[in-house]
Amino acid sequence: QVRLVESGGGSVQAGGSLKVSCVASAYTYYMAWFRQAPGKEREGVAVLASDGRTIYADSVKGRFIISRDTAKNTVDLQMNSLKPEDTAMYYCAATSDHFSMVQMPQTAFHSWGQGIQVTVSS
């Protein structure tokens, strides 16, 4: 089992930037970020495969960037131009089970962090 630990996040005003980071105990082919806002279902935010392919939720395209350091087993999510609707608990996820890279299926990810809060005020 891969252990994931998130860090970063915090609170900013709309238009600001934050970064969330995740360190994994082992390499996996895919690393991703999901988020869940109060009263909402968990949704995929971004996925980065080891071959460089990415998926971003439409709502964050052009604002968020996912990156990883394979040697350190870390993945970051740089969040720019933040909006109040970005407020959520952000979860790091990892898997080596291949999927289509068209969507971000939660069921494909077998390792999850505990989550880290991101709050964006208006």
Side-chain angles (χ1 to χ4, degrees), residues 54-76:
T54 59
I55 310 171
Y56 290 98
D58 288 343
S59 60
V60 308
K61 285 180 180 176
R63 299 189 297 121
F64 291 11
I65 300 172
I66 187 170
S67 62
R68 69 188 293 176
D69 185 334
T70 303
K72 293 180 169 63
N73 291 329
T74 59
V75 61
D76 296 336

Side-chain angles (χ1 to χ4, degrees), residues 21-45:
S21 300
C22 174
V23 59
S25 63
Y27 165 83
T28 59
Y29 195 85
Y30 304 91
M31 298 196 77
W33 289 95
F34 290 75
R35 68 186 182 186
Q36 187 168 27
K40 302 289 183 66
E41 295 184 353
R42 186 182 296 173
E43 63 174 345
V45 178

Side-chain angles (χ1 to χ4, degrees), residues 88-106:
M89 187 74 73
Y90 282 69
Y91 297 91
C92 181
T95 189
S96 287
D97 289 351
H98 289 276
F99 58 99
S100 70
M101 289 288 288
V102 174
Q103 297 177 318
M104 294 176 275
Q106 295 183 52

